[in-house]
């Protein structure tokens, strides 16, 4: 049993050692160059036309006059300060 275990371990070691492992290739990344000169300024656009003013709305109707009773609402008393 010990000899078969050793044989299996040696066989596994040789099998794994014979595997072809692909080489890792590192591709260098592109490095941007220096900034170029600033481009020319573009032409100014046309000014848009101004819209016309809207018409005035009609005046509202006059409300009913009161019946002569006046109601006075007093504000609530403020809380006492300590």
């Amino acid at each position: 049993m010990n000899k078969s275990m050793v044989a299996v371990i040696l066989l596994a070691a040789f099998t794994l050692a014979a595997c072809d492992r692909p080489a890792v290739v590192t591709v260098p990344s592109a490095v941007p160059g220096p900034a170029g000169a600033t481009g020319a300024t573009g032409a100014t656009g046309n000014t848009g036309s101004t819209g016309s003013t809207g018409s005035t709305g009609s005046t509202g109707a006059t409300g009913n006059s009161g019946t002569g009773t006046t109601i006075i609402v007093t504000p609530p008393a403020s809380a006492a300060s300590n």
Side-chain angles (χ1 to χ4, degrees):
M1 172 105 163
N2 287 338
K3 289 182 182 184
S4 64
M5 186 68 97
V6 172
V8 169
I9 291 173
L10 287 175
L11 181 63
F14 286 128
T15 304
L16 292 175
C19 290
D20 182 30
R21 288 180 268 163
V24 177
V25 177
T26 305
V27 178
S29 61
V31 177
T38 304
T41 304
T44 303
N46 297 332
T47 303
S49 61
T50 304
S52 59
T53 304
S55 59
T56 305
S58 58
T59 305
T62 305
N64 297 332
S65 58
T67 59
T69 305
T70 304
I71 299 174
I72 299 174
V73 178
T74 58
S78 60
S81 61
N82 291 338

